[in-house]
Structures are given as structure tokens and as C-alpha cells.
Amino acid sequence: YADYILLDSTGLPLAVVEAKRTSKDARTGQKQAEDYAQDIDNQIDSNVLIYFTNGTEIWFYNKGFTNPRKVLGFHSRDDLERQRYQNKNKKNLLEIQIRDEIINRPYQIEAVVRVSEGIENLAKRKFLIVQATGTGKTRVSMGLIDMMLKSKRAQRILFLVDRDELRTQAFDENIVKFFPSESKQKIVSKKVNTDSRIYVSTLQTMENVYKEFSVGFFDVIISDEAHRSIFNKFKNIFQYFDSVQIGLTATPADMVSRDTYDFFDCEDGVPTSSFSYEDAVPQYL
């Protein structure tokens, strides 16, 4: 018998939890949890999700789609049902047409393709895009949002900035323009409409309210000027949420700190995509 079964809104199994003693490594329960999940799947074909924990650490495993990963808490039922929906209905990102009215420059398209390849082929969940000021980082973000929504890999996306004027610019000049039919909102307080699809917030506001959300509330978080946002107290935001995380920065690649590369799982100091000021000057700046 499984230690715990989490049920969906219809009363059927949604996730299995294998609980070990605190003195044991939580990961020793992985195989056991997989066996329980497989047994349930054989009976009702329900794509059961997996947790294994020792009461101190919690690991989440969306088997067949991503690798096991440590999370800071259990997802809400809504989060898990949304994850199951994405498992069943997701489309290949590499087959989604990029909207040329959002991005049409080769380096912008390359950035989106690199992220798409990382998700599709490597099951990656963290990415860092380095792009010179004035070359359209926000537009690349809008292209990524469009791809994630179209592919049904995301139902809730958060775009983070570090100043109020950038929040307004991202929302009014980009999100409203490119996603007129999507539900959207600026987060300015703890009062949040949880039915929206696209959210924009400053780091300062989100740092004060992020614990009001479940760990899996957002499917994707895109952070502008990520080299600043992952330090000090703001780092808590990214550590709390279990989401695909995409960092953007205009800081030249050779000046980005090792900590930033490590945080976004960039091996050997190589960003997911890079377009320098020197490359941009002849044609774009």
C-alpha cells in the first residue's frame, strides 16, 4: 500500500507520496513510489504524479516528462491537475510557428529556438538569455510566452521586472498588444485574480506576496535583468516556485557572474543564447 494518495477533483488518484523516516535520504523512496504509481496507472490510466519525502526534503517526479527535482512544498490540487493536463495535451515546441509580428530578427528567433530545444530535447527547466540593451529582450519574452501558451505547456506565466515603469511598459506596450484575448493582470498587492493567464510584477511586490501562492502556481517565470534578481532576498522567489525559469540580462556574457550561470544551470559559463553589443551595432543599434 502507498503511504499517501492525493486525489483529484473527481476523487481519482492524482499523485502518490512515499514517506521515509527523517533519518533516511528521501530519494530512497523513489523506486517504491514509481512502483505504486505504475500499479495505479495500470488500473485506471491516470498518469499519476510522484512525490517522495522524508519530512524534511520533498522530491517531485513527473515521470516520463522531467527529471526528479526537489521542491519546497507540495503542489496544490489545481497545480497537479494542470500538470496532468499539460502532460496529455502538450505540443512539440519546435513545431510551433513563431509569430513574426512579435519577433523576426535571426538572433531573437535563435534565442526562442534554444529554449524550445532545451525543454523538448533535454527536459531543462532553467535558461539564461544574454542580449544587448536595445535589441529586444522584452520582445523575445513575448515570443516565448506565445510559444508556451500555444503549445499548452503553460497556463500561468509570470513576467518579473525590477521597476514600476518597466512593469507598465511590459504590460501596456507588449502584453496588451500581443495577447489581447488572454486574461492578464499586474500584481500590485496580495489581491490577485487567480484566473488570469499572464501576470506582470516587480520583484519588490512579488517578494512581499509570493508565499500567498502555491509552489506550482506559475508554469513559467521570466525575469528581466536576471543577474540582479537572483541575489539577496529576491532569490527566495525563484527558489520557492517550481516552474520553468528564464532569465534575461543585458550584461555582457563575459561579465555575468558565475553565480548567475550556476543558478540558471548554464554549464561552463555558456548562456542558453547570447547576442552582444558588438554584434548588434552594425545592423541593429
Side-chain angles (χ1 to χ4, degrees), residues 6-284:
L6 309 183
L7 304 180
D8 66 17
S9 53
T10 69
L12 291 175
L14 179 58
V16 62
V17 182
E18 174 60 23
K20 294 298 182 186
R21 295 179 183 274
T22 306
S23 58
K24 291 189 175 182
D25 188 326
R27 289 168 290 184
T28 61
Q30 177 177 337
K31 179 62 169 61
Q32 214 171 337
E34 288 183 53
D35 289 343
Y36 292 137
Q38 185 61 58
D39 184 42
I40 295 170
D41 286 342
N42 290 342
Q43 296 179 60
I44 61 172
D45 188 26
S46 143
N47 184 221
V48 174
L49 299 160
I50 295 169
Y51 290 98
F52 35 98
T53 179
N54 61 3
T56 301
E57 290 186 352
I58 302 171
W59 288 74
F60 176 64
Y61 189 16
N62 184 11
K63 188 177 181 181
F65 299 94
T66 57
N67 298 319
R69 57 184 181 268
K70 189 157 62 171
V71 293
L72 286 191
F74 290 96
H75 301 72
S76 71
R77 184 171 66 184
D78 178 65
D79 297 339
L80 295 176
E81 289 184 325
R82 202 170 70 253
Q83 182 66 76
R84 186 173 62 182
Y85 170 84
Q86 292 169 13
N87 289 348
K88 293 181 177 179
N89 296 281
K90 68 183 179 66
K91 299 177 182 177
N92 191 317
L93 277 165
L94 298 172
E95 296 175 359
I96 302 295
Q97 184 69 38
I98 297 174
R99 283 171 60 186
D100 58 8
E101 68 267 33
I102 299 180
I103 53 172
N104 55 21
R105 296 177 180 179
Y107 65 87
Q108 295 172 330
I109 294 171
E110 180 184 359
V112 171
V113 170
R114 290 280 182 87
V115 172
S116 299
E117 288 175 340
I119 293 172
E120 284 292 346
N121 301 333
L122 303 173
K124 290 191 65 176
R125 292 176 60 78
K126 288 190 176 185
F127 305 89
L128 180 65
I129 297 172
V130 178
Q131 200 172 298
T133 299
T135 58
K137 293 195 309 299
T138 304
R139 284 294 191 94
V140 169
S141 300
M142 298 303 111
L144 285 165
I145 290 172
D146 184 60
M147 298 281 282
M148 297 300 284
L149 291 173
K150 281 182 177 176
S151 65
K152 293 184 169 56
R153 288 179 175 272
Q155 277 69 51
R156 293 196 190 115
I157 297 173
L158 172 64
F159 187 77
L160 282 172
V161 296
D162 62 354
R163 298 197 304 278
D164 288 341
E165 57 266 32
L166 292 179
R167 177 177 58 194
T168 299
Q169 181 184 43
F171 191 87
D172 296 348
E173 298 178 19
N174 291 275
I175 292 171
V176 170
K177 176 181 179 181
F178 295 119
F179 306 100
S181 62
E182 296 288 356
S183 54
K184 61 191 80 68
Q185 67 177 294
K186 299 175 188 176
I187 298 177
V188 295
S189 69
K190 290 185 178 182
K191 294 181 179 180
V192 176
N193 176 9
T194 58
D195 293 328
S196 293
R197 301 251 280 171
I198 304 173
Y199 299 78
V200 183
S201 175
T202 62
L203 286 161
Q204 292 81 358
T205 297
M206 185 53 61
E207 198 275 330
N208 290 325
V209 306
Y210 71 91
K211 288 188 178 179
E212 300 293 319
F213 301 92
S214 63
V215 297
F217 185 84
F218 297 109
D219 301 305
V220 178
I221 296 177
I222 301 174
S223 174
D224 195 20
E225 299 305 334
H227 64 285
R228 292 200 296 266
S229 62
I230 63 166
F231 294 102
N232 303 321
K233 60 184 180 180
F234 297 135
K235 190 173 186 177
N236 296 335
I237 300 170
F238 300 92
Q239 292 174 329
Y240 177 77
F241 287 112
D242 178 45
S243 62
V244 170
Q245 298 182 0
I246 303 168
L248 310 170
T249 180
T251 300
D254 58 359
M255 294 179 65
V256 174
S257 74
R258 180 180 176 84
D259 288 337
T260 305
Y261 283 123
D262 288 345
F263 185 85
F264 287 100
D265 295 340
C266 296
E267 297 180 2
D268 303 320
V270 179
T272 306
S273 176
S274 179
F275 190 66
S276 69
Y277 176 79
E278 289 74 21
D279 292 332
V281 167
Q283 189 172 358
Y284 300 109

